[in-house]
Amino acid sequence: MDPQLLFNGIAVGSVLALAAIGLTLTYGILRLSNFAHGDFMTLGAYLTWLFNTGISIRMGYRVIDIDGVNIWLAMFLGAGGTVIAMLIAEFLLWKPMRDRRATSTTLIIISIGLALFIRSGILLIWGGSNQSYDLPLVQALDIGGVRIAYYRLIVIGLAILAMIALHFLLQKSKIGKAMRAVADNIDLARISGINVERVVIWTWIITGILTAVAGGMYGLITTVRPNMGWFLILPLFASVILGGIGNPYGAIAGALIIGVAQESSVQFLNSEYKLGVALLIMAIVLFVRPQGLFKGTA
Amino acid sequence: MVGYLVFLTISTALFALFALGLNLQWGFTGLINFGHVAFMTVGAYTTVLLSSQGVPLVIAVIIGAAIASLLGLAIGMSTLRLREDYLAIITIGVSELLRLIALNEEWLTKGAFGVQRYPLPLAGFEPNLIGKIIMIGLLTFIAIFTVWQLWRGMRNRWREGKSIKGKSIQPRKRIGLIIWSVIALALILTVYVNGVIAISNYYNYKVGLMLIVLLVLTAIYWGLELLVHSPWGRVLKSIREDEEIPRALGKNVFWYKLQALMLGGAIAGIAGAFYAWQLTSVYPANFEPLVTFNAWTIVVLGGAGNNAGTLLGAVIFWAYDVLTREYLPYLGILNPTQLGPLRIMVIGLILMLLMVWRPQGILGKKEELTLGR
């Protein structure tokens, strides 16, 4: 396999992995297949871009310019904003509907409405043109003929860091254990004294951070545009299903497989059809092993 | 004005047709099809490309509908045995993939340049007096049929209101029923009178298309009404509510779901042919995922599992579309490029609010739908 394509695939796969972890957590713990997940990614990227490039607010005659901050701080602030947006959705939509014991189909339709709302809201506020971060230019490295773009390398490193942190959170911390318990069996978790509502809030916080960082990083290796996340919804669901719904480690493996497969497909396929690769993998998984490669919870 | 109303009638009728297919899939059978536009794409391109090669229009449309239902077969075979959300994901993917194919396979679809100058129905037809009288006769027939359907629906609701008095389910208010009937009658009358004026004085290609799409819509509506009130339709509804029960009664649930998906797909394929004829040139950009969600708004608004509700939803949707297109710019708050996103934002909001507060839509029966478990 062409090492260049492999490298690109791992970079894209890392972005997908971070977002897919969030999707699989909400899928497994809240029983919610969130079709707005990709658009939350877009929101994270736009907030990062906003904090990075600065804002100028017009108040009457006066124009207040707020300077942008460095990209890493911007990504951090963007993650905070995305978490707030996800918690608003939780309290206005998901919690009331869960309390009413709405069916999963009802939730799916609400999530697609939310996806339309967020995406066109972004279009309304920031317009449809491509945006890019305010970044210093860095020369790409060249290792044995493979062009290693600096930011792609950063993306991979950051994703590994986030995954290790998540691993320790899920395995060692109290809240992580509670999350796994709720995903496994919500009623059993509740009667063992786990505060399910608190677990739900923490799930959204973790999901929001990972999703926003994934969006911000996707903006680093491509451009920031209103439908960047929407076009990732299929690869994301494919990764989640490939890795077994509710299994974060499975989602990481699935995302890397999908990312590498998509990027290496450009050797023999029009690059416009990357989406078709994810669709094909998903169709094969559904035929051969619908429960996914690893053990899921839902 | 007459021409504009003709345009609106065609748009409403073809979207009603498109949404009737979705209503069969989602409203009656509970299948989450988020890629309904895929069937429309297949129907539109097949009709247009085949008829450009000299295939007669009627046969081209039938082949288009058949291929659309085969697409439903392919999607259904891979997903309908599994969880319901897999269908949603796969259909979104298929519809986007089909749009990408239409965009990139220029040898077949001419890509972003679009397909133009394909045969249109009744294109060179100049009706003489007898032809016009026949056309007006057909339109009158449709109008009488619609009024009859309206009367039947209203009578049922009236009786229902009488029979369930004093029980926990509240009947509809009588006054409300009368007001709704008057509005519906006024609407039918407007379309009818406008159609008669258009046929007799301003005949052009679009007027002929309007008559055809109304005839097809009437036929398919009637066929669907017969189907969903037959034992077959009751099985579909029971699958929507709880598929374990029909399975326990020995029904092949998978096969019924597949039939609903294929039939709904074929109807969307026919709607695609009309879409192409109305646009008179098709581009891949006409088949964005948004078209699917417009149909979803129509079905959810009108009431899932109610064909008359879907017609009502289509009327309200186009009224919303026209009014916001015409009057929103006068408010002057937003610049023109922001209006499109705002209108889509409102559609997303309507979809969310309806599912939270009124999942049965305007005409759906709350008692019949299991909306929570």
Side-chain angles (χ1 to χ4, degrees):
Chain A
M1 190 187 283
D2 189 345
Q4 177 73 60
L5 293 177
L6 186 67
F7 173 72
N8 291 350
I10 292 175
V12 173
S14 308
V15 172
L16 285 179
L18 285 190
I21 293 169
L23 187 61
T24 208
L25 286 178
T26 48
Y27 216 148
I29 295 174
L30 311 171
R31 304 284 184 271
L32 166 70
S33 27
N34 190 357
F35 279 82
H37 198 73
D39 296 292
F40 276 115
M41 243 179 112
T42 316
L43 182 67
Y46 266 89
L47 291 176
T48 305
W49 166 76
L50 195 68
F51 287 120
N52 180 232
T53 53
I55 320 162
S56 61
I57 304 164
R58 198 181 298 269
M59 292 177 83
Y61 317 99
R62 287 169 52 209
V63 177
I64 304 169
D65 274 314
I66 300 169
D67 281 339
V69 296
N70 141 334
I71 180 77
W72 311 117
L73 187 59
M75 225 178 250
F76 180 76
L77 294 173
T82 311
V83 169
I84 292 172
M86 280 191 173
L87 287 177
I88 292 173
E90 158 70 14
F91 285 113
L92 289 184
L93 293 172
W94 311 127
K95 190 175 156 46
M97 292 315 282
R98 262 204 315 278
D99 291 346
R100 248 185 264 173
R101 299 187 94 67
T103 56
S104 63
T105 44
T106 308
L107 296 180
I108 290 175
I109 298 164
I110 294 177
S111 78
I112 207 86
L114 183 62
L116 283 177
F117 186 77
I118 296 175
R119 182 152 25 109
S120 32
I122 287 170
L123 254 172
L124 179 78
I125 299 172
W126 292 298
S129 45
N130 290 359
Q131 315 285 358
S132 49
Y133 300 132
D134 185 11
L135 292 173
L137 272 174
V138 185
Q139 192 77 43
L141 303 170
D142 197 319
I143 301 171
V146 181
R147 265 185 79 250
I148 307 278
Y150 174 69
Y151 287 111
R152 290 189 184 236
L153 206 59
I154 289 281
V155 161
I156 296 173
L158 211 65
I160 293 172
L161 220 72
M163 287 171 207
I164 293 172
L166 181 82
H167 171 75
F168 280 105
L169 185 82
L170 285 178
Q171 299 298 333
K172 303 284 184 228
S173 77
K174 213 170 173 183
I175 191 74
K177 286 178 187 168
M179 277 168 69
R180 286 190 295 144
V182 173
D184 210 38
N185 186 330
I186 187 165
D187 294 319
L188 205 58
R190 190 173 277 131
I191 56 167
S192 347
I194 291 173
N195 185 344
V196 173
E197 289 309 316
R198 222 177 67 126
V199 169
V200 169
I201 306 264
W202 275 102
T203 307
W204 280 118
I205 292 174
I206 294 168
T207 302
I209 293 171
L210 291 176
T211 310
V213 171
M217 293 191 334
Y218 195 55
L220 266 182
I221 58 176
T222 57
T223 51
V224 179
R225 56 184 191 281
N227 49 17
M228 58 192 280
W230 170 249
F231 284 131
L232 286 185
I233 198 80
L234 190 78
L236 285 178
F237 271 106
S239 314
V240 167
I241 292 168
L242 187 60
I245 291 172
N247 184 336
Y249 305 104
I252 295 171
L256 287 173
I257 293 173
I258 301 272
V260 171
Q262 278 195 344
E263 292 301 315
S264 21
S265 73
V266 295
Q267 293 175 67
F268 37 85
L269 249 180
N270 185 339
S271 67
E272 296 274 337
Y273 290 139
K274 278 181 190 168
L275 179 99
V277 177
L279 188 68
L280 183 71
I281 293 177
M282 198 160 122
I284 293 172
V285 172
L286 291 186
F287 260 118
V288 182
R289 208 180 150 77
Q291 69 272 38
L293 294 178
F294 305 100
K295 189 181 165 291
T297 57
Chain B
M1 187 64 194
V2 172
Y4 190 58
L5 271 178
V6 167
F7 162 79
L8 273 184
T9 311
I10 300 173
S11 302
T12 310
L14 87 86
F15 263 82
L17 197 58
F18 182 55
L20 277 177
L22 183 66
N23 190 30
L24 184 69
Q25 295 166 342
W26 152 248
F28 285 98
T29 326
L31 306 174
I32 312 181
N33 175 5
F34 278 163
H36 201 44
V37 71
F39 300 109
M40 190 180 224
T41 316
V42 168
Y45 270 101
T46 309
T47 307
V48 162
L49 295 174
L50 281 181
S51 60
S52 310
Q53 300 299 316
V55 177
L57 279 173
V58 177
I59 295 172
V61 174
I62 292 171
I63 295 176
I67 295 182
S69 71
L70 283 182
L71 179 71
L73 181 74
I75 296 173
M77 289 297 269
S78 58
T79 53
L80 283 181
R81 287 179 201 276
L82 306 166
R83 298 164 53 121
E84 63 251 315
D85 34 6
Y86 290 175
L87 179 68
I89 301 158
I90 288 278
T91 45
I92 284 193
V94 168
S95 74
E96 278 296 90
L97 188 65
L98 275 174
R99 190 171 64 83
L100 287 178
I101 290 174
L103 195 61
N104 289 295
E105 299 304 316
E106 294 186 355
W107 57 275
L108 183 69
T109 63
K110 300 200 177 66
F113 301 110
V115 188
Q116 290 100 0
R117 284 192 291 282
Y118 41 81
L120 301 165
L122 301 181
F125 179 66
E126 277 297 330
N128 51 20
L129 189 62
I130 298 168
K132 283 182 176 177
I133 289 172
I134 292 174
M135 287 178 120
I136 290 176
L138 284 172
L139 194 65
T140 313
F141 167 74
I142 295 171
I144 292 171
F145 176 81
T146 318
V147 172
W148 175 55
Q149 283 291 314
L150 178 72
W151 182 72
R152 258 184 25 154
M154 289 300 175
R155 191 189 55 183
N156 282 348
R157 280 183 189 266
W158 190 272
R159 283 193 189 148
E160 217 168 61
K162 263 186 194 165
S163 65
I164 57 178
K165 227 173 227 174
K167 293 184 185 163
S168 60
I169 302 161
Q170 284 303 306
R172 267 162 206 279
K173 293 251 176 7
R174 292 283 172 87
I175 286 289
L177 208 59
I178 293 167
I179 293 173
W180 276 111
S181 311
V182 171
I183 293 174
L185 271 178
L187 196 74
I188 294 167
L189 203 68
T190 313
V191 172
Y192 175 69
V193 170
N194 184 66
V196 171
I197 294 172
I199 290 173
S200 47
N201 294 340
Y202 304 96
Y203 185 84
N204 60 19
Y205 154 69
K206 285 276 160 90
V207 179
L209 185 65
M210 176 186 77
L211 191 63
I212 300 174
V213 69
L214 284 177
L215 275 173
V216 170
L217 177 65
T218 312
I220 287 182
Y221 174 82
W222 182 233
L224 280 175
E225 277 291 285
L226 289 182
L227 270 179
V228 300
H229 289 110
S230 71
W232 184 80
R234 285 193 288 275
V235 174
L236 291 191
K237 276 190 188 178
S238 68
I239 292 174
R240 177 190 69 195
E241 295 313 309
D242 186 348
E243 64 175 71
E244 293 308 321
I245 292 168
R247 184 168 291 139
L249 291 171
K251 307 288 181 201
N252 186 345
V253 170
F254 172 70
W255 177 230
Y256 276 93
K257 282 184 178 177
L258 202 57
Q259 286 173 334
L261 191 65
M262 288 173 72
L263 187 56
I267 293 172
I270 297 172
F274 283 108
Y275 193 45
W277 289 333
Q278 194 204 21
L279 293 169
T280 63
S281 54
V282 286
Y283 301 94
N286 296 129
F287 303 96
E288 298 263 341
L290 184 65
V291 181
T292 304
F293 300 116
N294 289 345
W296 270 89
T297 313
I298 289 173
V299 171
V300 174
L301 187 67
N306 187 317
N307 288 328
T310 303
L311 302 187
L312 178 67
V315 171
I316 295 176
F317 177 81
W318 275 94
Y320 163 77
D321 191 87
V322 167
L323 292 178
T324 50
R325 222 178 268 271
E326 294 291 313
Y327 293 107
L328 221 49
Y330 291 114
L331 290 180
I333 305 167
L334 298 163
N335 62 44
T337 53
Q338 288 178 318
L339 292 175
L342 181 72
R343 292 170 50 237
I344 301 169
M345 231 173 138
V346 173
I347 285 178
L349 194 65
I350 291 174
L351 215 48
M352 283 191 282
L353 292 180
L354 278 173
M355 286 317 285
V356 172
W357 275 315
R358 205 180 157 85
Q360 76 274 28
I362 297 173
L363 289 182
K365 285 185 183 161
K366 200 174 183 182
E367 316 83 80
E368 219 181 55
L369 288 166
T370 322
L371 301 157
R373 232 175 263 161

